[in-house]
Each structure stands twice: as structure tokens, then as C-alpha cells.
Amino acid sequence: MIDLERAVSLLRNAQDIEILSHHFPDGDTLGCAAALCHALHLLGKRARCTCADPVSEKYSFLFEEIEKQDFPAQFVVSVDVADIKLLGPVLAAKHAGNIDLCIDHHGSHQIFAKESYVDSTAAAACEIIYEVICRLGVVPDQVIAQAVYTGITTDTGCFRYTNVTARTHEIAAQVIRTGIDAADINRQMFETKTRARLEMERSVLDSIEFYFDSRCAVMQISRAMIDASGADEGDLDGLSAIPRQIEGVLVGVTMRERKIGGYKVSLRTLPQVNAAKICAEFGGGGHIAAAGCTIEEDFESAREKILKVIGKVLETM
Ligand SMILES: [Mn+2]
């Protein structure tokens, strides 16, 4: 593990930089990539962003002002990536052993880069990226500001989650001072939904089942639902927040069927239950209140396995 100064000095000395985001990209990993890429361009460096999955419509505005550059990369940095597997299989294989720097905020981070800067007190990796950019001597402009704000607001559920600190608000305040329209970003992130998204919500709500005196709710996202609604990755973003919104639910489970089989399981918990610890039983991880893992089984068996572990935790409470 390195400190912030070291991370900044690595980037200061780097040339021809490739920035890697995690697959199924969210606002934080894309916000980091956009902000850092633009800052590096302002420093006169060549930089580009890479992700295994296409950037959905919802986040495309982040990259509108960023020049696309092509070059052989000499320095590779990953942002908001907790585990090399989260780059997706193709990029994970391509970059195994050659990632020079990793900047992340996941407490469960699995070291894979040559140098890693991980600050698990940051609500969003964008908080760290903002500090990196400032220390590189770049004065954040609106392109950087909107990217950082998007990362922070999406990773904190619009400043509502327990990961929010005074620093979160301080950085948000600083980027708002550049004149960006924060209310418009929040409307786009949290209110506006596509028709496909609405259809997804309609079917996933119908799938919810309750366990352990209704302290656990399980929601299913099947391939059939995704196909029927025409939803893309962006339309699915944040659906996993739904089960925990139910009064009395301590553990919200979302089970999403993968294209290649098996289930991607996302846990959202109230503070008394450690989601990362439960997911670690299946080789996954994340944060205390939000974590994930993969279970390579059919729906019934995968549900049985995760419920067994959750049941053990809940029976002690
Ligand atoms: Mn994040």
C-alpha cells in the first residue's frame, strides 16, 4: 500500500496513460475515469479510458467533452476496482500483472496492482480522484467537477448512505462552486427513468420474497425479465437498492442471472449486518452495507446457499 503523495507522484511521472474502470460500470468508476482522463489531458499528457462494457446513455455526458486518444499505453491505472476479476474476464486476463497503479476505496480490496492506494474512508473513489487531481496541480473545471459529483452522488445514494462524511460534503461543495448544475445531475441520476427501467421495476417488485421474519428480502433479476423489458446495463443500475427499502428488512438480496449462467448476488444491509462478511463466504466482497458475490448455481440452489449464511447471522440478533 502506498500513500496519496506516492500515487500522485506516479501519475505526475507517467506518460501515455490507460485508465481502467470495472465492468458493469457505475457512476463512480466512470466519474473517476472521466475526471482523471480530462485532468491528465489538461497536464498535456495522453490518456484514455477503457471499460469492458459500453458506457450507458445515462453516463455518456461524462465523456462528451473528453478527447478520444489512441496510443500504446505505457502506464495503466485502475479506478474503483476492488478486485482484478471486476475488470471483466477479457481485460483481467490482458492486464494481469501489468497494472501500475490502483486507486480504490473498497475495504475488501484484493491487491492486484504494482502499487495500490486504497482509502476505505472515502465514500466514493471520486473523492480520492478529486484530491489526486488537485495535488497534480490541476484546477478542476466543470468537466472534472461534474464527473466527481456524479461519482460521489451515485455511490452515496444522493448523500444518504452511512459512508458519507464531512469530507464528502466538502468535496461536493468545492465542485459545485465551479458552477455545475448539481440538481440536474441528481435528477438525471435518481429521477429520470427509461421506459425499459420502469418495466424492469415492475417485474422485479413482483419477484420479491421474504425470509427470517421478513428481516431478509430476496429479489430476482432474470435474463427473461431483462430481455422482455429491453433493459440495458444502465437500466439495471441501482435496482439492488430496492429490497432494503422495505421497512423491517435488514438484509436486501438481489440475485441477477448472468449471461454465462450462475447468479451475481448483491447485498444491501442495515448497519448491524456486515454485507461484505457474508459475501466473503462466496469469494466476494465490498463494503459493510453494500457487497456482492457470484454463485455458480441455478436460482433455487444459489438462493438456498446465500440464505443459509444470512440466516446464521440473523439468528444471533
Ligand atoms: Mn465506488
Side-chain angles (χ1 to χ4, degrees):
M1 289 280 194
I2 57 171
D3 62 11
L4 184 63
E5 268 322 306
R6 171 84 181 140
V8 170
S9 101
L10 284 168
L11 285 166
R12 188 176 286 128
N13 296 321
Q15 297 298 334
D16 297 345
I17 300 149
E18 177 163 30
I19 305 164
L20 304 178
S21 288
H22 60 74
H23 68 163
F24 304 114
D26 61 9
D28 192 27
T29 197
L30 293 175
C32 284
L36 183 59
C37 187
H38 187 67
L40 293 168
H41 289 172
L42 292 176
L43 287 170
K45 294 175 188 287
R46 285 195 289 196
R48 67 160 180 265
C49 306
T50 303
C51 181
D53 296 306
V55 175
S56 65
E57 187 68 36
K58 183 175 178 181
Y59 298 119
S60 59
F61 76 102
L62 295 173
F63 297 92
E64 265 164 22
E65 306 285 319
I66 297 174
E67 189 196 333
K68 288 213 168 56
Q69 300 181 333
D70 199 22
F71 51 85
Q74 288 186 42
F75 187 91
V76 182
V77 51
S78 68
V79 286
D80 194 40
V81 180
D83 188 309
I84 192 159
K85 285 184 284 186
L86 298 176
L87 291 175
V90 175
L91 287 180
K94 182 180 173 195
H95 289 291
N98 80 358
I99 298 170
D100 299 286
L101 171 64
C102 151
I103 295 175
D104 187 32
H105 72 127
H106 292 87
S108 65
H109 184 86
Q110 298 290 318
I111 300 271
F112 56 82
K114 291 172 196 162
E115 313 246 25
S116 305
Y117 178 62
V118 181
D119 176 4
S120 62
T121 68
C126 271
E127 281 186 18
I128 308 170
I129 289 295
Y130 179 79
E131 289 184 356
V132 165
I133 287 170
C134 293
R135 289 201 194 202
L136 280 168
V138 175
V139 177
D141 62 7
Q142 292 195 357
V143 174
I144 291 168
Q146 68 176 7
V148 168
Y149 190 86
T150 299
I152 291 176
T153 196
T154 51
D155 254 26
T156 60
C158 206
F159 302 88
R160 287 176 301 132
Y161 300 158
T162 51
N163 57 0
V164 173
T165 63
R167 180 177 67 169
T168 312
H169 284 288
E170 275 156 12
I171 294 173
Q174 287 173 38
V175 295
I176 288 171
R177 283 199 191 93
T178 65
I180 57 164
D181 190 343
D184 184 57
I185 292 174
N186 285 324
R187 188 182 51 74
Q188 287 181 59
M189 294 302 121
F190 300 105
E191 286 182 35
T192 307
K193 52 181 91 172
T194 60
R195 175 72 188 274
R197 165 66 175 218
L198 189 90
E199 298 300 341
M200 275 310 299
E201 289 181 5
R202 203 202 290 271
S203 29
V204 295
L205 288 177
D206 231 11
S207 78
I208 294 178
E209 288 175 340
F210 296 89
Y211 299 90
F212 312 118
D213 300 320
S214 299
R215 289 179 298 165
C216 173
V218 178
M219 187 176 87
Q220 188 185 1
I221 304 177
S222 68
R223 297 308 312 173
M225 291 176 193
I226 297 171
D227 294 343
S229 66
D232 68 10
E233 203 47 51
D235 295 321
L236 303 175
D237 195 25
L239 279 177
S240 51
I242 293 174
R244 190 184 58 184
Q245 291 167 354
I246 306 158
E247 189 174 25
V249 169
L250 300 180
V251 186
V253 183
T254 301
M255 301 188 47
R256 174 171 163 188
E257 189 180 1
R258 302 191 311 163
K259 269 188 197 138
I260 50 169
Y263 280 80
K264 184 173 176 270
V265 180
S266 301
L267 256 64
R268 298 292 180 270
T269 57
L270 293 193
Q272 55 267 52
V273 179
N274 187 331
K277 218 171 151 186
I278 294 170
C279 290
E281 299 262 338
F282 301 94
H287 307 286
I288 289 172
C293 59
T294 300
I295 305 182
E296 312 248 3
E297 302 274 356
D298 63 26
F299 180 72
E300 275 74 26
S301 323
R303 182 179 55 186
E304 193 186 314
K305 284 195 168 164
I306 192 81
L307 284 177
K308 204 171 160 196
V309 180
I310 292 168
K312 275 197 195 125
V313 174
L314 289 179
E315 80 186 5
T316 66
M317 311 181 69

